[in-house]
Amino acid sequence: MRILVAGDLHYQPTTRPAYVEFAAWVRDQAPDCFILAGDVGHPLRLFRRGLDLFAGLACHRLFIAGNHDLYCGEHDSRTLWQRILPQAVQDAGFTWLEETTCQLGDVGICGTLGWYDYSARAPHLPFDAADYRRIKPIFNHDADCINWPWSDRAMARYLARGFASRLAALEQNPTVGRIVVVTHMPIF
């Protein structure tokens, strides 16, 4: 089983030849499965162009969103997350892995965007979760560009619950011998 995972492409038209070369390299590797693990492109037109690079790939294509894919612009982040991105992913022939799993032979694949719950903060720094929420706009553009109505911790819990449910289903499936987990952000 050959699974190729890529993330953080951040597609830009000014360097399109490098992206086309990368997509050709992916095809030459002849993977059984290709997973894009987020941050394909922003705004939406670049997201779609990034996905289109892999249109000729003859294997299972799976997708996990990244934080930059959800940056507001012509659409708010909530609409991108709930409707626009899943449809664009499906239209491009990828599977939106946030709501389903994939099984290839005895390999189950499960994934999630993951989100900040601030539990991975450095223990030697004098900041708690509330401090990180307060100072996030100083060091992280997500505070400026993600405008969905949920708090970071609420989104992290929501994603973790869905992921845990999908993972448990794979673990209970007697035909699954191995599980591959893909996240854009660490979930624990």
Side-chain angles (χ1 to χ4, degrees):
M1 174 71 55
R2 293 175 51 104
I3 299 173
L4 200 150
V5 181
D8 292 282
L9 297 179
H10 297 280
Y11 178 81
Q12 292 295 316
T14 55
T15 53
R16 181 171 172 76
Y19 291 102
V20 170
E21 184 178 330
F22 175 68
W25 179 85
V26 169
R27 274 190 296 282
D28 291 346
Q29 301 310 301
D32 298 297
C33 181
F34 176 61
I35 305 170
L36 268 177
D39 288 355
V40 172
H42 172 79
L44 187 58
R45 66 182 169 77
L46 298 183
F47 177 83
R48 286 186 171 122
R49 288 183 190 168
L51 292 177
D52 287 345
L53 290 167
F54 306 99
L57 200 55
C59 67
H60 294 275
R61 291 176 285 156
L62 310 177
F63 180 83
I64 289 294
N67 52 320
H68 289 230
D69 299 324
L70 298 162
Y71 279 10
C72 58
E74 68 264 49
H75 302 284
D76 63 271
S77 300
R78 181 182 195 163
T79 301
L80 284 167
W81 172 252
Q82 293 179 327
R83 189 172 51 83
I84 303 293
L85 294 185
Q87 187 63 55
V89 165
Q90 181 181 343
D91 291 348
F94 282 78
T95 297
W96 179 258
L97 205 52
E98 195 68 54
E99 296 173 348
T100 191
T101 59
C102 179
Q103 185 174 344
L104 306 172
D106 73 335
V107 176
I109 303 172
C110 188
T112 186
L113 159 67
W115 203 251
Y116 314 97
D117 69 356
Y118 304 104
S119 64
R121 62 189 179 274
H124 67 282
L125 295 176
F127 304 115
D128 64 16
D131 293 327
Y132 280 103
R133 284 191 303 277
R134 192 182 81 260
I135 64 175
K136 182 180 176 182
I138 296 169
F139 64 90
N140 188 319
H141 287 295
D142 290 356
D144 304 318
C145 300
I146 302 280
N147 65 352
W148 55 33
W150 312 293
S151 72
D152 289 337
R153 293 181 84 179
M155 188 60 162
R157 282 190 305 270
Y158 168 77
L159 292 172
R161 279 192 308 268
F163 171 75
S165 175
R166 293 187 305 277
L167 183 59
L170 286 175
E171 289 173 327
Q172 294 167 7
N173 184 335
T175 65
V176 173
R178 296 173 289 167
I179 297 174
V180 174
V181 169
V182 181
T183 68
H184 182 71
M185 296 180 183
I187 57 173
F188 50 82

